[in-house]
């Protein structure tokens, strides 16, 4: 029986999680939200140690120490461009841990405890799916394997057979909770997770990360029921609900259904284009000419993308914007919901450079302003301004809402090369007569552009 003081402590921790989730909805309060959530987690761990007095304390503390050191070192060393991969790994670890805990609890589940057995089977299966699926998303984002959809003959049949097998093993486990049946179910879940993510390619990978995050949250909630831990139930439900909502919002931002994102390639479509660079002629310019365009503009919109994060050029971009504002130029940042490799990637990147939150404007809010904009400066973005989303039904991004950069008077692209974006398709806006390309590393190019602007 959990002491009353421990239940009150768990309630405080649960409130911390709820407050933290709310605070994370705004860049202004996100840092505070993280600290509140971390404090709630620490409180929950301390209460658990004191209230339950676990056996084998030494190995538990050693494992806790190793995990703490690994987490601190890893989080400090990870680059902003690698943050989606880190999120995928953390998510996978959560799902895998939930599955392992459920396996260990199988010996405590009696045959007449039907609801507990159902929760255990669910945790094992879905937790394993989340773990292996997250590992594959990590490998894709880290480019340890191809980002293109991976399919093979018979994949749909094998996948459906694996799902039916998972359901059958789950029913068996509920009726007869044996450990070896749970192990088989876990192995089958690992295979399902791999087959679920392999056919997903290109810009759809971040959406799958969000979906798997929801899976992990649901497994933690189910694990909380199995363990009789209300705090895990609350925390898991929060993560599951938030992940599900985020997945839906991201899919809407891409103009696609979640089913199409997951199984489009299996059904014969593709979530990735050709990926080859074009040799068509484009208009190029130097920093001096672009500086003149920017310096004499009345209104400029910045469209940041993954290339900005790769070059770590956010601080230089902020300096450029401040120089323009000092000249009386109105400047805003246009933030697309799926710019970068994860939701909020550009917001976090620019917040790190101390860009005022008021300048970060979401797509729906700023799209109407492009028609009255003199210059749009696209820094390392491609797919989020690609008109193919409106004009080319065969394009993998067709139907995705985009930033209306093509409606501005002039468009400047800062690109490293003519290589397509993550969706792997050409951007016709690059060949528009009003578009000028400035090639090079974003940070070096922005530095030259800033120096040139100061002489205008």
């Amino acid at each position: 029986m959990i002491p009353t003081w421990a239940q009150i402590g768990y309630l405080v921790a649960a409130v911390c999680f709820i407050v933290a989730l709310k605070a994370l909805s705004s860049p202004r309060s996100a840092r505070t939200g993280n600290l509140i959530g971390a404090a709630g987690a620490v409180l929950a761990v301390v209460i658990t140690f004191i209230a339950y007095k676990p056996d084998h304390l030494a190995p538990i503390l050693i494992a806790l120490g190793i995990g703490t050191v690994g987490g601190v070192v890893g989080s400090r060393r990870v680059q902003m461009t690698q943050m989606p991969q880190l999120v995928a790994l953390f998510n996978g670890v959560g799902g895998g841990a939930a599955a392992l805990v459920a396996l260990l609890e199988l010996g405590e589940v009696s045959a007449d405890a039907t609801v507990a057995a159902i929760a255990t089977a669910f945790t094992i299966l879905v937790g394993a799916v989340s773990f292996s699926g997250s590992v594959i998303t990590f490998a894709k984002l880290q480019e340890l394997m191809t980002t293109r959809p991976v399919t093979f003959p018979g994949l749909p049949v094998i996948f459906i057979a694996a799902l039916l097998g998972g359901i059958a093993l789950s029913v068996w486990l509920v009726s007869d909770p044996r450990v070896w049946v749970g192990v088989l179910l876990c192995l089958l879940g690992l295979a399902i997770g791999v087959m679920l993510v392999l056919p997903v390619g290109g810009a759809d990978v971040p959406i799958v990360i969000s979906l798997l995050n929801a899976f992990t949250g649901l497994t933690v909630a189910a694990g909380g029921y199995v363990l009789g831990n209300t705090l895990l139930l609350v925390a898991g439900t929060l993560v599951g609900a938030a992940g599900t909502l985020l997945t839906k919002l991201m899919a809407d931002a891409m103009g696609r259904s979640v089913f199409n994102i997951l199984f489009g390639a299996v059904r014969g479509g593709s979530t990735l284009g050709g990926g080859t660079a074009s040799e068509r002629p484009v208009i190029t310019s130097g920093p001096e000419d672009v500086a003149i365009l920017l310096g004499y503009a009345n209104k400029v919109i910045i469209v940041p993308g993954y290339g900005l994060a790769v070059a770590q050029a956010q601080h230089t971009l902020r300096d450029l914007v401040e120089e323009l504002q000092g000249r009386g130029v109105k400047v805003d940042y246009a933030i697309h919901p799926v710019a970068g490799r994860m939701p909020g990637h550009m917001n976090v990147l620019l917040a790190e450079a101390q860009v005022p939150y008021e300048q970060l404007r979401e797509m729906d809010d700023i799209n109407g302003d492009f028609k009255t904009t003199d210059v749009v400066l696209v820094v390392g973005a491609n797919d989020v301004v690609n008109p193919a989303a409106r004009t080319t039904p065969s394009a993998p991004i067709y139907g995705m809402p985009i930033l209306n950069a093509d409606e501005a008077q002039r468009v400047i692209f800062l690109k490293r090369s003519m290589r397509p974006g993550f969706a792997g398709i050409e951007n016709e806006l690059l060949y528009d007569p009003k578009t000028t390309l400035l090639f090079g590393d974003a940070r070096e190019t922005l530095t030259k552009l800033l120096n040139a602007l100061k002489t205008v």
Side-chain angles (χ1 to χ4, degrees):
M1 184 68 180
I2 302 177
T4 302
W5 66 266
Q7 294 179 355
I8 295 174
Y10 279 154
L11 177 61
V12 172
V15 171
C16 285
F17 294 156
I18 295 171
V19 172
L21 188 60
K22 174 60 178 177
L24 289 172
S25 63
S26 169
R28 190 182 298 278
S29 57
R31 185 184 295 273
T32 302
N34 264 325
L35 293 175
I36 294 173
V42 171
L43 176 63
V45 171
V46 171
I47 291 173
T48 301
F49 272 101
I50 297 175
Y52 285 93
K53 297 181 176 61
D55 298 327
H56 312 293
L57 187 60
I60 291 175
L61 290 176
I62 292 173
L64 188 62
I66 294 173
T68 300
V69 172
V72 170
V73 174
S75 60
R76 287 187 176 275
R77 289 187 176 181
V78 68
Q79 299 295 320
M80 185 60 66
T81 52
Q82 299 172 326
M83 197 62 68
Q85 294 93 301
L86 183 67
V87 171
L89 279 182
F90 282 170
N91 176 65
V93 168
L100 287 176
V101 169
L103 278 173
L104 292 174
E105 287 296 312
L106 265 179
E108 305 297 325
V109 178
S110 60
D112 57 344
T114 304
V115 177
I118 292 174
T120 303
F122 176 86
T123 303
I124 293 172
L125 178 60
V126 181
V129 170
S130 178
F131 174 75
S132 60
S134 296
V135 170
I136 298 299
T137 59
F138 167 81
K140 283 177 174 283
L141 290 173
Q142 193 66 18
E143 297 185 357
L144 299 177
M145 62 179 294
T146 178
T147 58
R148 297 182 63 81
V150 178
T151 60
F152 53 85
L155 175 59
V157 175
I158 297 175
F159 182 75
I160 293 174
L163 280 179
L164 294 176
I167 294 173
L169 282 175
S170 297
V171 172
W172 187 355
L173 190 66
V174 171
S175 61
D176 186 12
R178 296 177 181 269
V179 174
W180 68 269
V181 178
V183 172
L184 284 179
L185 181 61
C186 184
L187 293 174
L188 192 58
L190 293 174
I192 292 172
V194 172
M195 289 186 288
L196 179 69
V197 179
L198 279 180
V200 179
D204 294 335
V205 172
I207 300 178
V208 177
I209 292 177
S210 178
L211 179 64
L212 293 173
N213 184 57
F215 285 0
T216 295
L218 293 175
T219 60
V220 170
Y225 180 86
V226 173
L227 296 172
N229 191 308
T230 305
L231 181 61
L232 284 178
L233 190 60
V234 171
T237 302
L238 286 173
V239 174
T244 301
L245 180 60
L246 181 59
T247 302
K248 179 65 168 59
L249 291 174
M250 290 179 67
D252 290 344
M254 294 287 288
R256 315 243 307 283
S257 68
V258 176
F259 184 86
N260 177 264
I261 290 167
L262 291 174
F263 304 110
V266 173
R267 297 167 61 194
S270 176
T271 58
L272 194 68
T276 57
S278 173
E279 296 183 358
R280 294 163 60 186
V282 294
I283 300 173
T284 61
S285 187
E288 294 78 11
D289 296 325
V290 173
I292 292 173
L293 284 174
L294 293 172
Y296 288 100
N298 292 314
K299 184 175 180 180
V300 173
I301 292 179
I302 310 291
V303 178
Y306 185 67
L308 178 70
V310 170
Q312 288 292 289
Q314 62 270 26
H315 297 280
T316 312
L317 179 61
R318 180 205 60 197
D319 293 341
L320 176 69
V321 170
E322 290 179 349
E323 178 68 22
L324 287 171
Q325 289 176 325
R327 293 169 172 267
V329 181
K330 178 174 170 38
V331 185
D332 286 310
Y333 296 82
I335 308 298
H336 192 279
V338 295
R341 293 292 185 270
M342 64 184 296
H345 199 172
M346 294 300 104
N347 300 72
V348 173
L349 189 73
L350 294 170
E352 182 188 19
Q354 304 299 316
V355 173
Y357 303 124
E358 295 76 15
Q359 293 181 19
L360 307 183
R361 299 178 59 189
E362 301 297 330
M363 177 179 64
D364 292 340
D365 177 48
I366 200 171
N367 253 351
D369 291 2
F370 282 98
K371 291 180 179 179
T372 58
T373 298
D374 299 306
V375 181
V376 171
L377 184 64
V378 183
V379 187
N382 192 79
D383 299 328
V384 297
V385 294
N386 192 338
R390 302 194 211 105
T391 61
T392 310
S394 61
I397 62 171
Y398 182 71
M400 179 181 83
I402 62 170
L403 293 166
N404 298 332
D406 56 324
E407 295 180 355
Q409 299 299 311
R410 296 294 300 269
V411 181
I412 309 295
F413 269 88
L414 268 59
K415 290 181 65 68
R416 186 183 293 271
S417 69
M418 287 299 294
R419 182 180 177 183
F422 206 48
I425 57 174
E426 279 192 349
N427 188 344
E428 289 297 325
L429 184 57
L430 297 174
Y431 311 100
D432 192 294
K434 66 181 179 184
T435 298
T436 300
L437 274 68
L438 191 57
F439 287 109
D441 174 81
R443 183 160 59 180
E444 294 177 1
T445 302
L446 285 170
T447 300
K448 294 177 182 178
L449 193 53
L450 176 60
N451 292 334
L453 182 62
K454 292 178 178 179
T455 64
V456 172

